[in-house]
């Protein structure tokens, strides 16, 4: 189906099901229960997971397949956001023209940056992408203020032309009248499930993005990208020119980033230069590696994992911790709360850093490798010990 | 005129004169061996032929066209494939994928954006690749990870990758080093068989004289960067200079 073999079709269907059921999956505990703070049913969090999932899926096409580690992909994220807000300002709040423009501009931008950066490989390539992205960030802040509105960030003003704006059209982002931030709430027993239009819109795009990446992974083009990572010398002496392959991968991943940036502005009609900061570039690197670079699901998993934990951990402030440890005697409680609060709330980055270190050291293949190991353990228990290796040697997805 | 004409090639690495006034003419449709002691400049010469190194002076013509100044992938697309002294394969990929890549390169050229077909659906190329693996007796290993192969298997894989491209000129840098005796003999048979079946020129660098004398129609002896003699295997065997410079001490 859809140019996929049976196994991949099943895989895609599972991904679609998971994506569509996310509002249930991320809301495991009844409202008002003690564990409700671990729910993540907020529409904005689900949206962010889908959006950063797209960002990471695209990044993985470059980094996971070719091994070229870009530290500048936030630049494309920013370009995407600016494009969408500009379309709001010039046309109307329909997100579609903006998203199309976001993909085009980020693609062109990636073509220029990629063309220059790919003259080098390894660490020099990474530094070049970082330099270009930081340059873009600084330009957005200073010289390009007429386009980016500098520090304030780009937003829609009542004085903007909005040529396509018609009577009664929504004045927040929408898709032909479907307003992004509208939700439908479902009360079931103690649970409250939120179905948000914006989430389903991003989810459908995320599924398309995933499908496209699946096709690339299985294509001869994808095979060449993996060959680039494996041995560029052999590739060259086999009559293949690595440069256009890596450039194509770079542009595709830049377009994914632009789409993700555009979707951020589709959820919240703002675009600021801080979206181009190196911290955002670093975030997508961490998501991809944490989930499992070069695997299909890894980047999505990494994005979901990080965005979810970020939300949960940053909610846990000292008051919450006091509540948890109220059973401890006074002096001890203070110490425990102090220690835990370093890793939660504002200190969430410390937890993320620790997690990242542990994964890189013990699970170089990321969470996907973790899953694979658990599966092998179970399989080995079932089968006789000794013949645990899979006969066809297919790698993790 | 040979298919490959090397004229007055010099290459220095700092103070080391690695290739000294090398003149070499390789006749089309022959197997030409280059022998010589370690450090004689044999691999350096191949590096010049495939565009890995640019010589300081001289010219290299392949089928009437200059090779110099072209990128390695362009030279390969002209019809020159090389097996390296230390195997260069795609370690992260499976054996079959390794052989498929040169098939794509041969059919589609140096770049093609075929992102919407699947590798699986390329039945013709897969068939071609599998037959190339049968030729080197590795069909049973087609789903193995290439990095996990033994050194000899890696070399046979690399040979399959080169042969499947049906190059006009095949350069082999010590193709049987690190191979068990049985596989060495199988490799000799394979190369001889290929040579009989189709028109192909081979330049083979080899320390194993059994391989050289089983295959070569012409032999060039290289010593300290310059060709000492070039002749038929029969004459080389008895040549006093060769005995002294190479064969005598090495064997
Ligand atoms: N890239 C390089 N830079 C500097 N010196 C080099 C380089 N490549 C080769 N050499 C030197 O040039 C000389 C010839 O090397 P080459 O590899 O061509 O020898 P060879 O005949 O292939 O020997 P072997 O039989 O050991 O493979 C050696 O002294 C080697 O150290
Ligand atoms: Mg050598």
């Amino acid at each position: 189906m859809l140019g996929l073999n049976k196994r991949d079709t099943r895989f895609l269907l599972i991904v679609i099901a998971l994506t569509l059921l996310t509002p249930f999956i991320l809301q495991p505990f009844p409202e008002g229960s003690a564990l409700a703070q671990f729910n993540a049913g907020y529409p904005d969090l689900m949206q962010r997971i889908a959006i950063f999932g797209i960002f990471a899926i695209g990044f993985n096409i470059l980094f996971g397949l070719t091994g070229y580690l870009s530290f500048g992909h936030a630049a494309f994220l920013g370009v995407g956001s600016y494009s969408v807000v500009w379309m709001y300002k010039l046309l109307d709040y329909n997100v579609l023209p903006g998203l199309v423009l976001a993909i085009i501009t980020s693609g062109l931008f990636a073509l220029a940056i990629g063309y220059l950066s790919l003259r080098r490989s390894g660490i020099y390539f990474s530094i070049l992408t970082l330099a270009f992205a930081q340059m873009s960030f600084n330009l957005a802040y200073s010289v390009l203020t007429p386009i980016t509105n500098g520090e304030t960030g780009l937003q829609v003003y009542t004085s903007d032309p909005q040529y396509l704006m018609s009577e009664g059209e929504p004045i927040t982002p929408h898709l032909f009248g479907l307003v992004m931030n509208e939700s439908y709430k479902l009360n079931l027993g103690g649970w409250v499930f939120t179905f948000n239009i914006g989430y389903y819109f991003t989810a459908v795009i995320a599924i398309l993005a995933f499908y496209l990446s699946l096709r690339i992974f299985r294509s001869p083009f994808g095979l060449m990208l993996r060959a680039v990572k494996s041995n560029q010398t052999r590739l060259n002496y086999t009559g293949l020119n690595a440069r256009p392959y890596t450039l194509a991968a770079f542009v595709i991943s830049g377009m994914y980033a632009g789409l993700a940036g555009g979707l951020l502005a589709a959820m919240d009609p703002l675009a600021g230069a801080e979206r181009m900061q190196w911290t955002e570039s670093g975030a997508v690197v961490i998501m991809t590696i944490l989930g499992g670079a070069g695997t299909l699901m890894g980047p999505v998993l990494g994005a979901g994992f990080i965005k979810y934990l970020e939300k949960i951990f940053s909610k846990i402030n000292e008051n919450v911790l006091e509540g948890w440890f109220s059973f401890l005697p006074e002096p001890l409680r203070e110490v425990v709360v102090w220690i835990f609060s370093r890793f939660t709330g504002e200190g969430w980055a410390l937890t993320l850093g620790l997690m990242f270190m542990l994964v890189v050291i013990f699970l170089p293949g990321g969470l996907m490798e973790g899953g694979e190991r658990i599966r092998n353990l179970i399989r080995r228990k079932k089968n006789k010990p000794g013949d645990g290796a899979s006969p066809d040697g297919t790698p993790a997805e | 005129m040979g298919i490959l004409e090397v004229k007055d090639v010099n290459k220095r690495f700092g103070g080391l004169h690695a290739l000294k006034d090398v003149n070499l003419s390789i006749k089309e449709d022959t197997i030409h061996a280059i022998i010589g002691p370690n450090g004689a400049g044999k691999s350096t010469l191949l590096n010049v032929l495939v565009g890995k190194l640019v010589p300081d002076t001289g010219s290299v013509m392949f089928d009437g066209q200059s090779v110099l100044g072209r990128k390695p992938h362009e030279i390969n697309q002209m019809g020159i494939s090389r097996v390296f002294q230390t195997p260069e394969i795609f370690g992260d990929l499976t054996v079959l994928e390794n052989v498929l890549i040169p098939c794509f390169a041969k059919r589609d050229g140096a770049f093609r954006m075929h992102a919407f077909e699947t590798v699986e659906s390329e039945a013709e190329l897969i068939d071609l690749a599998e037959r190339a693996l049968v030729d080197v007796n590795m069909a049973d290993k087609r789903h193995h990870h290439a990095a996990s192969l033994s050194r000899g298997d890696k070399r046979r894989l690399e040979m399959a990758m080169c042969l499947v491209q049906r190059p006009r000129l095949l350069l082999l840098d010590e193709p049987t080093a690190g191979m068990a005796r049985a596989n060495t003999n199988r490799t000799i048979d394979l190369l001889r068989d290929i040579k009989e079946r189709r028109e192909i020129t081979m330049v083979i660098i080899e320390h194993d004289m059994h391989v050289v004398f089983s295959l070569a129609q012409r032999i060039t002896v290289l010593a300290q960067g310059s060709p000492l003699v070039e002749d038929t295997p029969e004459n080389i065997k008895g040549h006093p200079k060769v005995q002294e410079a190479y064969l005598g001490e090495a064997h």
Side-chain angles (χ1 to χ4, degrees), chain A residues 3-8 211-212 215-224 226-246 248-249 252 391-395, chain B residues 50-53 72-74 76-77 80-84 87-93 97-98 100-102 104-106 109-120 122 143 158 161-162 165:
Chain A
L4 300 176
N5 63 22
K6 250 193 206 137
R7 214 172 96 228
D8 285 339
Y211 169 69
L212 202 68
R215 290 298 299 265
I216 289 177
F217 265 65
R218 300 289 181 250
S219 72
F221 173 69
L223 178 63
M224 297 307 169
R226 287 192 291 139
V228 168
K229 180 179 181 177
S230 185
N231 188 343
Q232 247 192 74
T233 307
R234 181 27 88 195
L235 195 73
N236 288 332
Y237 292 100
T238 304
L240 291 155
N241 190 359
R243 191 77 65 79
Y245 281 107
T246 47
I252 292 170
D392 54 1
T394 41
Chain B
V50 297
K52 192 173 181 178
L53 286 176
H73 70 264
E74 293 167 336
N76 174 277
Q77 292 284 353
I80 303 180
S81 294
R82 172 179 183 181
V83 174
F84 284 82
E88 293 280 0
I89 53 168
F90 302 109
D92 300 333
L93 308 184
E97 285 170 333
N98 267 270
L100 271 172
I101 287 172
F104 280 113
K106 174 86 177 175
F111 172 71
R112 196 179 135 199
M113 186 73 201
H114 30 29
F116 282 102
E117 297 108 74
T118 56
V119 174
E120 263 173 45
E122 300 280 2
H143 292 305
E158 198 183 9
M161 292 164 74
C162 288
Q165 288 196 307

Side-chain angles (χ1 to χ4, degrees), chain A residues 135-156:
Chain A
M135 235 160 69
S136 313
F137 165 69
N138 277 311
L139 287 176
Y141 248 123
S142 54
V143 190
L144 294 179
T145 302
I147 301 175
T148 61
N149 206 18
E151 241 175 287
T152 327
L154 195 63
Q155 59 194 78
V156 185

